[in-house]
Amino acid sequence: MDGERLMHAITQTSYQGIDALTLTSRPIPRLNPLAVRIETRYTPIMPYDILTETGQLKALRPVKLPIVVGYGFGGIVREVGGLRNSQLLNRPVIGIQPTGSHQEQILSTLPPLLFPVPQNVSLADATTLIGGADAAYFAFKKSQLRAGETALVTGASGSVGTYFLQLAQLFGVHTIAIGHSSRHKLLQTLGAEQVLDYDLPLDQQLAEAPAVSQVIDLAGSTALLDQLTATLGPVKILSLAQQQYRARPQQSFSFVSGAITPSDYRWLLTQLAQHKLRVVIHEQFPFTAVKTAQHHLLSEHAAGRILLTYNQEA
């Protein structure tokens, strides 16, 4: 019986951070009529998990430990409950698992949060949408940027920023990107019209830049925002990365967090299928190396998404 077979899961048992994560064994969940069982192939590494592991999101995301970490996944449907669409069987899918995705098998019981992957899109590429393109699209919608306006994007080379630059270009919005010097060429290929180096004085680099109507903060660096607000005039700051910041007079700051709709996910998958969005994957690690993968997200100047891999021999 499936319920008697075991699988591995990445588990958080304390708020002691990355190195306290454990690899645990647990029964493969039994299928029920409303569920599909998915053989996991990829899960994205997300800052959200690391902040949860250190207790920094207790107010925003209260959890009762232990929990399985992870949020998004890509995998192959291996069993379909009697009340779910039988055509999903053996189909590649991506989805969201609020109860934790970093495990070898996933029982998905939320039909609106499961999306078939188009035939000409790789499963790894599609998985990068979760916590990457979805957050970028959410930020773009919240920004209400219009064609012809200019946005300045901090943390532009990350998993969200690499998609935000492309979405802005799709909708006719100009972008100035801030990123590590090793990523400047990449940022230009993704649509940034100007790339700034955060290790050099920003006021000099912005001297000849077009007027910035909005800062999209994906880096969460107060020091970086201080430099920008001292240089820019009246500007809106929209942050996905820090909850509070004291902007200067005539400037406004807002923190946003939320989700996009199922139809938005299908739209993003269509953009991948039509090659209107480019996927940037920095590295892939076996799921047993989750600690290394999470440390890489913090210490390397990662370009795009870091993925964990599962069941690659299946």
PDB file of all heavy atoms in Angstrom, residues 19 22 135 153-154 163 173 175 177 183 205 215 217 230 233 235 238 258 278 284-285 307 313:
ATOM      1  N   ASP A  19      21.277  25.349   8.576  1.00  0.00           N
ATOM      2  CA  ASP A  19      22.037  24.160   8.971  1.00  0.00           C
ATOM      3  C   ASP A  19      21.292  23.265   9.945  1.00  0.00           C
ATOM      4  O   ASP A  19      21.767  22.168  10.278  1.00  0.00           O
ATOM      5  CB  ASP A  19      23.391  24.572   9.542  1.00  0.00           C
ATOM      6  CG  ASP A  19      24.291  25.176   8.476  1.00  0.00           C
ATOM      7  OD1 ASP A  19      24.272  24.674   7.336  1.00  0.00           O
ATOM      8  OD2 ASP A  19      25.001  26.160   8.764  1.00  0.00           O
ATOM      9  N   THR A  22      16.589  19.083   8.505  1.00  0.00           N
ATOM     10  CA  THR A  22      16.826  17.645   8.605  1.00  0.00           C
ATOM     11  C   THR A  22      16.140  16.924   7.451  1.00  0.00           C
ATOM     12  O   THR A  22      15.122  17.387   6.920  1.00  0.00           O
ATOM     13  CB  THR A  22      16.299  17.073   9.933  1.00  0.00           C
ATOM     14  OG1 THR A  22      14.895  17.341  10.030  1.00  0.00           O
ATOM     15  CG2 THR A  22      17.014  17.701  11.114  1.00  0.00           C
ATOM     16  N   ALA A 135       5.832  36.132  -8.651  1.00  0.00           N
ATOM     17  CA  ALA A 135       6.094  37.303  -7.798  1.00  0.00           C
ATOM     18  C   ALA A 135       6.372  38.540  -8.637  1.00  0.00           C
ATOM     19  O   ALA A 135       5.940  39.656  -8.298  1.00  0.00           O
ATOM     20  CB  ALA A 135       7.266  37.019  -6.859  1.00  0.00           C
ATOM     21  N   VAL A 153      15.069  48.803 -10.780  1.00  0.00           N
ATOM     22  CA  VAL A 153      14.873  47.502 -10.128  1.00  0.00           C
ATOM     23  C   VAL A 153      16.125  47.119  -9.350  1.00  0.00           C
ATOM     24  O   VAL A 153      17.207  46.960  -9.928  1.00  0.00           O
ATOM     25  CB  VAL A 153      14.558  46.410 -11.174  1.00  0.00           C
ATOM     26  CG1 VAL A 153      14.225  45.091 -10.475  1.00  0.00           C
ATOM     27  CG2 VAL A 153      13.401  46.838 -12.078  1.00  0.00           C
ATOM     28  N   THR A 154      15.989  46.966  -8.019  1.00  0.00           N
ATOM     29  CA  THR A 154      17.102  46.459  -7.220  1.00  0.00           C
ATOM     30  C   THR A 154      16.997  44.934  -7.144  1.00  0.00           C
ATOM     31  O   THR A 154      15.921  44.364  -7.279  1.00  0.00           O
ATOM     32  CB  THR A 154      17.091  47.038  -5.789  1.00  0.00           C
ATOM     33  OG1 THR A 154      16.037  46.427  -5.032  1.00  0.00           O
ATOM     34  CG2 THR A 154      16.915  48.551  -5.807  1.00  0.00           C
ATOM     35  N   TYR A 163      12.740  37.953 -14.194  1.00  0.00           N
ATOM     36  CA  TYR A 163      11.429  37.935 -14.834  1.00  0.00           C
ATOM     37  C   TYR A 163      10.811  39.331 -14.885  1.00  0.00           C
ATOM     38  O   TYR A 163      10.146  39.677 -15.865  1.00  0.00           O
ATOM     39  CB  TYR A 163      10.485  36.978 -14.104  1.00  0.00           C
ATOM     40  CG  TYR A 163      10.589  35.543 -14.570  1.00  0.00           C
ATOM     41  CD1 TYR A 163      10.972  34.527 -13.706  1.00  0.00           C
ATOM     42  CD2 TYR A 163      10.295  35.197 -15.881  1.00  0.00           C
ATOM     43  CE1 TYR A 163      11.055  33.205 -14.125  1.00  0.00           C
ATOM     44  CE2 TYR A 163      10.374  33.884 -16.323  1.00  0.00           C
ATOM     45  CZ  TYR A 163      10.759  32.889 -15.433  1.00  0.00           C
ATOM     46  OH  TYR A 163      10.849  31.591 -15.878  1.00  0.00           O
ATOM     47  N   VAL A 173       7.504  49.088 -20.619  1.00  0.00           N
ATOM     48  CA  VAL A 173       8.048  49.871 -19.506  1.00  0.00           C
ATOM     49  C   VAL A 173       9.576  49.804 -19.552  1.00  0.00           C
ATOM     50  O   VAL A 173      10.161  48.720 -19.687  1.00  0.00           O
ATOM     51  CB  VAL A 173       7.524  49.339 -18.157  1.00  0.00           C
ATOM     52  CG1 VAL A 173       8.239  50.012 -16.987  1.00  0.00           C
ATOM     53  CG2 VAL A 173       6.018  49.548 -18.060  1.00  0.00           C
ATOM     54  N   THR A 175      13.384  49.974 -18.040  1.00  0.00           N
ATOM     55  CA  THR A 175      13.950  49.559 -16.757  1.00  0.00           C
ATOM     56  C   THR A 175      15.419  49.942 -16.642  1.00  0.00           C
ATOM     57  O   THR A 175      16.176  49.884 -17.618  1.00  0.00           O
ATOM     58  CB  THR A 175      13.827  48.034 -16.534  1.00  0.00           C
ATOM     59  OG1 THR A 175      14.348  47.326 -17.674  1.00  0.00           O
ATOM     60  CG2 THR A 175      12.384  47.634 -16.282  1.00  0.00           C
ATOM     61  N   ALA A 177      18.398  48.573 -14.142  1.00  0.00           N
ATOM     62  CA  ALA A 177      18.639  47.460 -13.236  1.00  0.00           C
ATOM     63  C   ALA A 177      19.867  47.710 -12.375  1.00  0.00           C
ATOM     64  O   ALA A 177      20.868  48.268 -12.851  1.00  0.00           O
ATOM     65  CB  ALA A 177      18.822  46.165 -14.028  1.00  0.00           C
ATOM     66  N   ARG A 183      26.929  40.351 -13.565  1.00  0.00           N
ATOM     67  CA  ARG A 183      25.634  40.046 -14.178  1.00  0.00           C
ATOM     68  C   ARG A 183      25.149  41.122 -15.146  1.00  0.00           C
ATOM     69  O   ARG A 183      24.025  41.040 -15.641  1.00  0.00           O
ATOM     70  CB  ARG A 183      24.569  39.847 -13.077  1.00  0.00           C
ATOM     71  CG  ARG A 183      24.920  38.768 -12.067  1.00  0.00           C
ATOM     72  CD  ARG A 183      25.096  37.426 -12.717  1.00  0.00           C
ATOM     73  NE  ARG A 183      25.472  36.395 -11.763  1.00  0.00           N
ATOM     74  CZ  ARG A 183      26.104  35.285 -12.076  1.00  0.00           C
ATOM     75  NH1 ARG A 183      26.439  35.044 -13.340  1.00  0.00           N
ATOM     76  NH2 ARG A 183      26.406  34.402 -11.149  1.00  0.00           N
ATOM     77  N   GLN A 205      26.122  57.424 -11.493  1.00  0.00           N
ATOM     78  CA  GLN A 205      25.593  56.546 -12.534  1.00  0.00           C
ATOM     79  C   GLN A 205      24.190  56.967 -12.975  1.00  0.00           C
ATOM     80  O   GLN A 205      23.780  56.701 -14.101  1.00  0.00           O
ATOM     81  CB  GLN A 205      25.558  55.097 -12.037  1.00  0.00           C
ATOM     82  CG  GLN A 205      26.935  54.526 -11.667  1.00  0.00           C
ATOM     83  CD  GLN A 205      26.826  53.104 -11.135  1.00  0.00           C
ATOM     84  OE1 GLN A 205      26.612  52.156 -11.890  1.00  0.00           O
ATOM     85  NE2 GLN A 205      26.976  52.950  -9.831  1.00  0.00           N
ATOM     86  N   VAL A 215      10.622  52.780  -7.925  1.00  0.00           N
ATOM     87  CA  VAL A 215      11.672  51.834  -7.572  1.00  0.00           C
ATOM     88  C   VAL A 215      10.999  50.519  -7.191  1.00  0.00           C
ATOM     89  O   VAL A 215      10.099  50.495  -6.342  1.00  0.00           O
ATOM     90  CB  VAL A 215      12.524  52.345  -6.390  1.00  0.00           C
ATOM     91  CG1 VAL A 215      13.510  51.261  -5.927  1.00  0.00           C
ATOM     92  CG2 VAL A 215      13.277  53.612  -6.775  1.00  0.00           C
ATOM     93  N   ASP A 217      11.821  47.332  -5.378  1.00  0.00           N
ATOM     94  CA  ASP A 217      12.863  46.852  -4.469  1.00  0.00           C
ATOM     95  C   ASP A 217      12.730  45.343  -4.258  1.00  0.00           C
ATOM     96  O   ASP A 217      11.817  44.884  -3.580  1.00  0.00           O
ATOM     97  CB  ASP A 217      12.767  47.582  -3.127  1.00  0.00           C
ATOM     98  CG  ASP A 217      13.740  47.014  -2.103  1.00  0.00           C
ATOM     99  OD1 ASP A 217      14.887  46.724  -2.489  1.00  0.00           O
ATOM    100  OD2 ASP A 217      13.336  46.856  -0.929  1.00  0.00           O
ATOM    101  N   ALA A 230      18.222  59.414  -1.767  1.00  0.00           N
ATOM    102  CA  ALA A 230      18.989  60.665  -1.681  1.00  0.00           C
ATOM    103  C   ALA A 230      19.228  61.261  -3.063  1.00  0.00           C
ATOM    104  O   ALA A 230      19.424  62.473  -3.199  1.00  0.00           O
ATOM    105  CB  ALA A 230      20.322  60.418  -0.980  1.00  0.00           C
ATOM    106  N   GLY A 233      14.295  62.068  -7.218  1.00  0.00           N
ATOM    107  CA  GLY A 233      13.309  63.049  -6.773  1.00  0.00           C
ATOM    108  C   GLY A 233      12.066  62.356  -6.257  1.00  0.00           C
ATOM    109  O   GLY A 233      12.162  61.277  -5.657  1.00  0.00           O
ATOM    110  N   VAL A 235       9.413  59.891  -5.971  1.00  0.00           N
ATOM    111  CA  VAL A 235       9.398  58.537  -6.519  1.00  0.00           C
ATOM    112  C   VAL A 235       8.607  57.623  -5.582  1.00  0.00           C
ATOM    113  O   VAL A 235       8.581  57.836  -4.369  1.00  0.00           O
ATOM    114  CB  VAL A 235      10.848  58.013  -6.715  1.00  0.00           C
ATOM    115  CG1 VAL A 235      11.527  57.753  -5.377  1.00  0.00           C
ATOM    116  CG2 VAL A 235      10.883  56.761  -7.581  1.00  0.00           C
ATOM    117  N   LEU A 238       8.221  50.446  -4.227  1.00  0.00           N
ATOM    118  CA  LEU A 238       7.404  49.255  -4.022  1.00  0.00           C
ATOM    119  C   LEU A 238       8.352  48.111  -3.671  1.00  0.00           C
ATOM    120  O   LEU A 238       9.215  47.766  -4.476  1.00  0.00           O
ATOM    121  CB  LEU A 238       6.617  48.925  -5.288  1.00  0.00           C
ATOM    122  CG  LEU A 238       5.623  47.783  -5.187  1.00  0.00           C
ATOM    123  CD1 LEU A 238       4.299  48.287  -4.623  1.00  0.00           C
ATOM    124  CD2 LEU A 238       5.382  47.155  -6.557  1.00  0.00           C
ATOM    125  N   GLY A 258       1.553  38.929  -1.854  1.00  0.00           N
ATOM    126  CA  GLY A 258       0.294  38.342  -2.276  1.00  0.00           C
ATOM    127  C   GLY A 258       0.484  37.350  -3.402  1.00  0.00           C
ATOM    128  O   GLY A 258       1.613  36.941  -3.702  1.00  0.00           O
ATOM    129  N   ARG A 278      12.249  34.327 -21.102  1.00  0.00           N
ATOM    130  CA  ARG A 278      13.444  33.496 -21.050  1.00  0.00           C
ATOM    131  C   ARG A 278      13.675  33.029 -19.613  1.00  0.00           C
ATOM    132  O   ARG A 278      13.516  33.800 -18.663  1.00  0.00           O
ATOM    133  CB  ARG A 278      14.648  34.308 -21.538  1.00  0.00           C
ATOM    134  CG  ARG A 278      15.994  33.622 -21.359  1.00  0.00           C
ATOM    135  CD  ARG A 278      17.115  34.546 -21.791  1.00  0.00           C
ATOM    136  NE  ARG A 278      18.415  34.050 -21.359  1.00  0.00           N
ATOM    137  CZ  ARG A 278      19.536  34.739 -21.454  1.00  0.00           C
ATOM    138  NH1 ARG A 278      19.519  35.952 -21.984  1.00  0.00           N
ATOM    139  NH2 ARG A 278      20.686  34.229 -21.043  1.00  0.00           N
ATOM    140  N   GLN A 284      21.451  23.628 -10.252  1.00  0.00           N
ATOM    141  CA  GLN A 284      20.567  22.591  -9.745  1.00  0.00           C
ATOM    142  C   GLN A 284      21.331  21.708  -8.772  1.00  0.00           C
ATOM    143  O   GLN A 284      22.495  21.365  -9.014  1.00  0.00           O
ATOM    144  CB  GLN A 284      20.009  21.739 -10.892  1.00  0.00           C
ATOM    145  CG  GLN A 284      19.175  22.526 -11.894  1.00  0.00           C
ATOM    146  CD  GLN A 284      18.548  21.642 -12.965  1.00  0.00           C
ATOM    147  OE1 GLN A 284      18.316  20.457 -12.758  1.00  0.00           O
ATOM    148  NE2 GLN A 284      18.251  22.224 -14.113  1.00  0.00           N
ATOM    149  N   PHE A 285      20.688  21.349  -7.669  1.00  0.00           N
ATOM    150  CA  PHE A 285      21.289  20.495  -6.643  1.00  0.00           C
ATOM    151  C   PHE A 285      20.342  19.337  -6.343  1.00  0.00           C
ATOM    152  O   PHE A 285      19.123  19.529  -6.351  1.00  0.00           O
ATOM    153  CB  PHE A 285      21.490  21.269  -5.330  1.00  0.00           C
ATOM    154  CG  PHE A 285      22.495  22.379  -5.382  1.00  0.00           C
ATOM    155  CD1 PHE A 285      22.112  23.657  -5.751  1.00  0.00           C
ATOM    156  CD2 PHE A 285      23.827  22.160  -5.029  1.00  0.00           C
ATOM    157  CE1 PHE A 285      23.031  24.695  -5.782  1.00  0.00           C
ATOM    158  CE2 PHE A 285      24.747  23.190  -5.064  1.00  0.00           C
ATOM    159  CZ  PHE A 285      24.357  24.465  -5.430  1.00  0.00           C
ATOM    160  N   LEU A 307      17.366  25.385  -8.261  1.00  0.00           N
ATOM    161  CA  LEU A 307      16.393  24.310  -8.134  1.00  0.00           C
ATOM    162  C   LEU A 307      16.978  23.115  -7.393  1.00  0.00           C
ATOM    163  O   LEU A 307      18.177  22.810  -7.514  1.00  0.00           O
ATOM    164  CB  LEU A 307      15.941  23.828  -9.515  1.00  0.00           C
ATOM    165  CG  LEU A 307      15.166  24.797 -10.405  1.00  0.00           C
ATOM    166  CD1 LEU A 307      14.931  24.173 -11.777  1.00  0.00           C
ATOM    167  CD2 LEU A 307      13.835  25.206  -9.763  1.00  0.00           C
ATOM    168  N   GLU A 313      16.140   9.749 -11.850  1.00  0.00           N
ATOM    169  CA  GLU A 313      16.366   8.472 -12.539  1.00  0.00           C
ATOM    170  C   GLU A 313      15.053   7.825 -12.955  1.00  0.00           C
ATOM    171  O   GLU A 313      15.039   6.861 -13.710  1.00  0.00           O
ATOM    172  CB  GLU A 313      17.144   7.511 -11.621  1.00  0.00           C
ATOM    173  CG  GLU A 313      16.341   6.932 -10.461  1.00  0.00           C
ATOM    174  CD  GLU A 313      15.995   7.973  -9.391  1.00  0.00           C
ATOM    175  OE1 GLU A 313      16.630   9.043  -9.358  1.00  0.00           O
ATOM    176  OE2 GLU A 313      15.078   7.719  -8.598  1.00  0.00           O
TER     177      GLU A 313
END
